[in-house]
Amino acid sequence: MDSILLPRHAVAKPWGQKNLPAAMHVGGERIGEIWYDVQEQSLPVLIKWLFTSEKLSVQVHPNDDQARALGLPSGKEECWFVADAQPGAVLGIGTTKALDARELRRAAASGEIADLLDWKPVKAGDWFYIAPGTIHAIGGGITLVECQQNADVTYRLYDYGRPRELHLNEAVSVSVACPYPDIFHGSVDDDFRFRKLLEARTFSLYCGQGDEFLSLLTDADYWLIPLAGSIQGCYGRAARGDVVYGLQSANARPSHDFRFLVATICK
């Protein structure tokens, strides 16, 4: 298909931010997420921008086999790219020690799980792959891009006393409660040279600048996510806060300071 600008769907959250970047301003509510999807068709990958002012719930996602055993279409894997982080911002990914199912249930019920998470200091340019089964939570003061398998399946282990449903049985059954593998994260250099950051099971994620996205034009399942600068194409102008989906044209014109992420489908 020809490339299009994906519609934005802003989602208000109590843990969101009011003062979003000007390009993403959507009113006076606390916005936690902006989703980019086409309502009349379910794309295989969902792109989100997330904005946090406080810690999110401790949660986990099942893999495909586990989800299908429960009658769901698929599980969920995702990757976070930190676009901005306030001093002291952290992400909780994996546990500081291995926990069996009994220990995990007890820690979740008591709230100790929040202290057993491996809280990693983060900065702009850091990225983290969240495999199914990984226990995780996003801290406050962070703006990030989330590239995920397009599935609405999240099990909460702990939510800091907020009045939302927990899913202890499901969460414990799909969790792999152990330290996070170092091979699953990295950081983008200041020069933003073109490279593949991640090849997950369902999608790959690249970063780059200028017109380096042209090397990927053979893939029609293609999400172009501007981070800085802008690009002009058949869809008009796209900049930070936009997501372009579909086969890119070689005639697309990026600005001199254009930096981007690109997600493609693994076939």
Side-chain angles (χ1 to χ4, degrees):
M1 64 177 294
D2 291 336
S3 50
I4 60 170
L5 284 178
L6 289 177
R8 299 181 190 178
H9 310 284
V11 182
K13 297 285 187 179
W15 45 258
Q17 297 181 14
K18 280 190 174 182
N19 300 317
L20 300 191
M24 304 181 196
H25 184 69
V26 290
E29 291 185 289
R30 284 188 176 274
I31 299 301
E33 304 174 351
I34 299 178
W35 298 30
Y36 299 81
D37 206 359
V38 181
Q39 291 183 334
E40 54 270 21
Q41 68 176 112
S42 181
L43 300 178
V45 166
L46 177 63
I47 305 297
K48 299 178 183 176
W49 279 84
L50 274 68
F51 315 90
T52 68
S53 59
E54 56 187 82
K55 287 180 179 178
L56 277 61
S57 62
V58 179
Q59 55 187 240
V60 66
H61 309 299
N63 62 33
D64 285 350
D65 290 340
Q66 292 165 336
R68 287 168 184 153
L70 296 170
L72 302 170
S74 75
K76 187 195 293 189
E77 62 177 352
E78 57 193 26
C79 185
W80 297 336
F81 181 89
V82 179
D84 190 33
Q86 296 176 7
V90 291
L91 294 171
I93 313 176
T95 51
T96 56
K97 62 179 182 180
L99 303 172
D100 62 27
R102 189 178 188 179
E103 292 169 328
L104 176 59
R105 180 183 293 275
R106 185 167 58 242
S110 68
E112 184 188 7
I113 187 64
D115 296 322
L116 290 173
L117 274 180
D118 183 5
W119 291 100
K120 302 175 181 297
V122 295
K123 65 184 185 307
D126 290 343
W127 63 268
F128 299 85
Y129 170 61
I130 309 299
T134 304
I135 299 173
H136 60 276
I138 301 175
I142 293 175
T143 297
L144 62 79
V145 176
E146 180 176 281
C147 177
Q148 63 157 87
Q149 196 172 359
N150 197 349
D152 186 14
V153 53
T154 296
Y155 299 139
R156 294 190 196 94
L157 282 156
Y158 180 67
D159 201 18
Y160 302 93
R162 299 180 184 117
R164 294 200 296 175
E165 181 183 6
L166 300 179
H167 316 93
L168 283 185
N169 291 336
E170 297 92 337
V172 170
S173 71
V174 305
S175 291
V176 181
C178 65
Y180 179 74
D182 285 341
I183 60 171
F184 282 172
H185 72 91
S187 188
V188 172
D189 301 331
D190 289 340
D191 64 3
F192 232 78
R193 61 183 175 82
F194 179 70
R195 66 187 185 277
K196 181 187 288 186
L197 301 178
L198 169 72
E199 184 169 337
R201 195 186 60 78
T202 54
F203 63 85
S204 295
L205 190 67
Y206 301 78
C207 72
Q209 60 182 329
D211 63 359
E212 293 172 331
F213 60 86
L214 291 175
S215 64
L216 301 171
L217 287 184
T218 56
D219 197 327
D221 280 317
Y222 185 109
W223 291 257
L224 177 64
I225 308 155
L227 298 175
S230 63
I231 186 167
Q232 193 79 25
C234 62
Y235 40 79
R237 179 180 177 273
R240 187 178 177 116
D242 294 314
V243 174
V244 181
Y245 172 72
L247 187 62
Q248 286 288 316
S249 166
N251 296 323
R253 300 186 304 279
S255 64
H256 71 281
D257 57 346
F258 185 55
R259 292 185 171 188
F260 59 82
L261 298 175
V262 165
T264 62
I265 291 297
C266 291
K267 295 182 172 65

